[in-house]
Amino acid sequence: MASERSSELATRTVSLIPGDGIGPEVTDSVRAVIEALDVGIEWEVVEAGEKVIEKEGTPLPEYVLESIRRNKVALKGPLTTPVGTGFRSVNVALRKELDLYANIRPSQSLPGIDLPYKDIDIIVFRENTEDLYAGVEHMVGRNAAESIKVITREGCERICRMAFEQSVAMGRRRITVVHKANIMKFTDGMFRDIFYEISRDYENRFEEIDDRIVDNMAMQLVIRPNEYDVLVCPNLYGDILSDLCAGLVGGLGVAPGANVGDGIALFEPVHGSAPKYAGQNRANPLATLLSAKNMLIYMGLQEDAERMQRAINEALASEKTRTRDLGGTAGTKEFTQAIIDNLR
Ligand code: NAD
């Protein structure tokens, strides 16, 4: 039965893929916290990954895609990519099938995690469908191989436009395009040029609009990360630099992600299924919780997202309620319960 708060809200159905390994535990944590938040979300649970291969003959059954297309919003736990079975990565397939062209990776410093840098707040907008990941790769004879870097005007325009739009909406101060246009003049040159073309519509909305060559960018992020705010990257650089940024705030265990297309979004932690920790109450659900928090913002539930973040921060501040990978003593369930208690 709907509670008082959720009956005030239009109920929204969200597709939930629990995932493999630690996936069910970390997504259970999200379900418990979202229930305590009382925001009128109903989950449509659809299974994918290792556990459905035998029954469905594929790790990504059509009903999973149908559910996400219908609900427009999804949360996903990590999925194991079966090695040597001939199945392609479900994660890559989901992005392609649903045309989720933007991979958005925020990295923000959190309390209770002792790291060299404080107050990091960087968002990477990574193009998610092109570049060297387009899958145009083949052998040339027996002793050479080539992989084609595909960059299209449309691909550049849509990721740059989304990055500018969302950055303005979030009140960000600086936006930087990352490239290697000094060497790859056509491909990265196009990405950089289109970024600047689109920037003309946003000139007075940022303190700085600039660009960095990717090797320099990597160094800058290590020596002065606090100066950077929003990075817009082609696929390969975005993949690497977003992990670098995650490392600045505590690593993959704390890194949330979102794959976003036009009117459709799939939220997921960056980490994998960590099979060695499955079923042991040892997984850190933080990255999935932060992904769910960003999902609430996407759904227009900003205040609830802030409430959730405050409760998470409080739980992280104490060793007793932090998980072991972050130097604490709590298990998945104890950390989750602490967040729920902080919401009351
Ligand atoms: P992984 O992220 O699962 O594990 C890397 C290390 O981090 C391990 O030591 C693991 O125990 C630890 N770890 C990861 N998440 C954790 C968490 N939430 N709490 C505590 N410790 C955590 O990476 P991997 O071992 O390379 O991959 C395992 C499987 O996951 C593979 O099949 C891989 O293909 C898959 N994978 C899936 C995704 C995804 O679904 N988005 C992403 C990466 C890897």
Side-chain angles (χ1 to χ4, degrees):
M1 207 170 89
S3 67
E4 239 174 74
R5 171 80 205 286
S6 53
S7 62
E8 286 168 16
L9 295 160
T11 302
R12 286 281 310 265
T13 307
V14 172
S15 303
L16 176 74
I17 306 170
D20 298 316
I22 59 171
E25 289 163 84
V26 294
T27 53
D28 274 356
S29 167
V30 167
R31 293 176 76 163
V33 171
I34 294 281
E35 193 181 325
L37 266 174
D38 201 10
V39 286
I41 286 179
E42 262 176 26
W43 304 103
E44 182 174 305
V45 180
V46 277
E47 296 286 359
E50 235 179 4
K51 64 181 83 144
V52 300
I53 291 179
E54 207 177 314
K55 186 163 164 250
E56 307 290 342
T58 166
L60 182 58
E62 190 52 35
Y63 58 73
V64 176
L65 293 166
E66 271 167 25
S67 168
I68 302 173
R69 285 194 186 107
R70 187 170 0 95
N71 296 322
K72 311 273 186 236
V73 185
L75 180 75
K76 184 180 94 44
L79 293 168
T80 299
T81 300
V83 180
T85 57
F87 290 110
R88 59 182 178 160
S89 156
V90 178
N91 300 307
V92 174
L94 276 165
R95 290 168 199 175
K96 284 208 162 156
E97 293 287 339
L98 302 171
D99 200 19
L100 303 169
Y101 60 83
N103 184 234
I104 307 176
R105 293 270 305 268
S107 295
Q108 282 165 327
S109 297
L110 292 157
I113 307 176
D114 192 22
L115 290 161
Y117 296 109
K118 307 271 172 256
D119 304 321
I120 304 286
D121 186 0
I122 300 172
I123 303 186
V124 175
F125 284 83
R126 162 187 168 196
E127 200 290 320
N128 220 8
T129 58
E130 304 193 328
D131 199 352
L132 284 166
Y133 293 57
V136 191
E137 200 186 30
H138 45 250
M139 294 301 293
V140 182
R142 278 206 311 188
N143 300 317
E146 69 183 15
S147 184
I148 312 278
K149 182 174 164 97
V150 179
I151 300 277
T152 67
R153 171 163 276 276
E154 190 203 352
C156 300
E157 279 175 354
R158 58 188 191 169
I159 183 69
C160 292
R161 181 70 65 187
M162 185 189 286
F164 274 104
E165 282 294 315
Q166 292 208 12
S167 301
V168 167
M170 289 184 282
R172 312 294 296 205
R173 63 190 160 82
R174 178 178 184 179
I175 184 163
T176 306
V177 65
V178 183
H179 61 89
K180 187 85 184 172
N182 51 330
I183 305 292
M184 282 165 276
K185 295 180 195 297
F186 291 98
T187 49
D188 282 10
M190 185 189 288
F191 195 89
R192 178 183 175 278
D193 289 350
I194 291 174
F195 171 86
Y196 278 120
E197 268 172 37
I198 290 177
S199 77
R200 287 188 212 122
D201 297 340
Y202 302 89
E203 251 157 18
N204 301 320
R205 314 299 291 270
F206 294 88
E207 287 167 30
E208 269 180 275
I209 297 176
D210 58 0
D211 68 280
R212 289 283 177 276
I213 292 177
V214 62
D215 36 352
N216 178 32
M217 186 76 250
M219 183 188 68
Q220 299 283 333
L221 285 170
V222 173
I223 61 176
R224 48 175 79 93
N226 296 89
E227 289 183 14
Y228 291 90
D229 188 7
V230 176
L231 309 181
V232 188
C233 309
N235 208 338
L236 177 64
Y237 312 144
D239 190 6
I240 297 165
L241 293 181
S242 57
D243 271 22
L244 192 163
C245 292
L248 296 171
V249 298
L252 294 186
V254 309
N259 297 290
V260 182
D262 290 327
I264 188 162
L266 171 79
F267 295 81
E268 61 175 342
V270 170
H271 62 71
S273 56
K276 71 176 176 193
Y277 289 151
Q280 293 177 38
N281 193 34
R282 284 197 64 172
N284 184 357
L286 183 54
T288 317
L289 286 162
L290 294 175
S291 304
K293 182 208 79 173
N294 293 331
M295 182 186 84
L296 296 183
I297 296 172
Y298 178 83
M299 295 168 80
L301 299 165
Q302 179 79 33
E303 277 176 30
D304 296 289
E306 283 167 18
R307 225 176 118 221
M308 182 170 168
Q309 184 72 63
R310 281 195 297 274
I312 290 172
N313 288 357
E314 246 181 89
L316 285 174
S318 159
E319 198 185 301
K320 265 197 260 167
T321 48
R322 269 202 302 276
T323 49
R324 282 181 241 182
D325 58 313
L326 300 180
T329 55
T332 318
K333 288 186 181 145
E334 292 72 28
F335 178 56
T336 306
Q337 191 56 49
I339 296 167
I340 292 170
D341 293 344
N342 295 338
L343 286 171
R344 292 200 179 112

